Amino acid sequence: MSRRATSLHRFLTSPDTAALAGIVTLAAGVATGLRFVSATFQGINGPGAAPWLGWVSALAIEGGVLFLGLTVAARAAQGDRNVRLMIMAAFFIGLSAIANFDHVLAALTGGPVTWQALEALDRWTLVKAAALGGAVPLVVLAALEALRELASAAHESSGNVERDAAAVAAAAFRGRGSDALINGNGR
């Protein structure tokens, strides 16, 4: 393998590259969610309402998805699966998905979403709208989980390095060199 191919492989498989991709995905998902949810709330608030009302409502929902997702991920990394937090996270993900679904449907129908407008759409269009509406909050959740996995793997590998370094230091302190430790009789 050439030096360039090796460098590219190392870059693509690096945990730092994966973390950067996860952060970019997370930021894009939250930004898209904020945009879609704020547009939905703007439609609910009416044409005369201040635009910031839609953004504040969107920030509450998308912030809830982000905060609860991070909290669930952090607790899971500690081995704790808090069902109440998971239910609350699912609730906010559901709210975000519904608001995104509403935004996609409004774009498809060219106006406010009503039962009559929905009945005029074919099933495939409704399936696409539901998939697109649910994709944004789910990609945020998936990015959070991927970042948690990367952080957990980095923590585990740094723990191994710390344990190995401590074992080498202890062996050296006892007057046994690192060779004795490597050969298995450094305890």
Side-chain angles (χ1 to χ4, degrees), residues 18-147:
L20 178 62
I23 290 168
V24 168
T25 301
L26 186 63
V30 170
T32 302
L34 283 171
R35 160 85 173 75
F36 286 5
V37 175
S38 69
T40 298
F41 273 104
Q42 195 61 36
I44 291 170
N45 293 333
W52 64 267
L53 288 174
W55 284 101
V56 168
S57 300
L59 189 58
I61 289 178
E62 295 302 313
V65 168
L66 188 60
F67 177 71
L68 288 168
L70 282 170
T71 304
V72 167
R75 297 291 297 264
Q78 298 169 348
D80 183 20
R81 298 185 66 92
N82 189 315
V83 175
R84 287 181 303 174
L85 284 176
M86 291 167 62
I87 290 170
M88 287 185 266
F91 176 75
F92 279 98
I93 288 168
L95 285 178
S96 179
I98 289 169
N100 286 309
F101 181 57
D102 185 69
H103 178 74
V104 171
L105 286 172
L108 290 172
T109 60
V113 179
T114 62
W115 284 117
Q116 291 80 15
L118 288 177
E119 290 172 351
L121 295 174
D122 63 291
R123 288 185 193 156
W124 178 243
T125 302
L126 289 172
V127 168
K128 288 189 301 187
L132 293 172
V136 173
L138 290 177
V139 79
V140 169
L141 191 64
L144 287 170
E145 178 61 17
L147 289 171

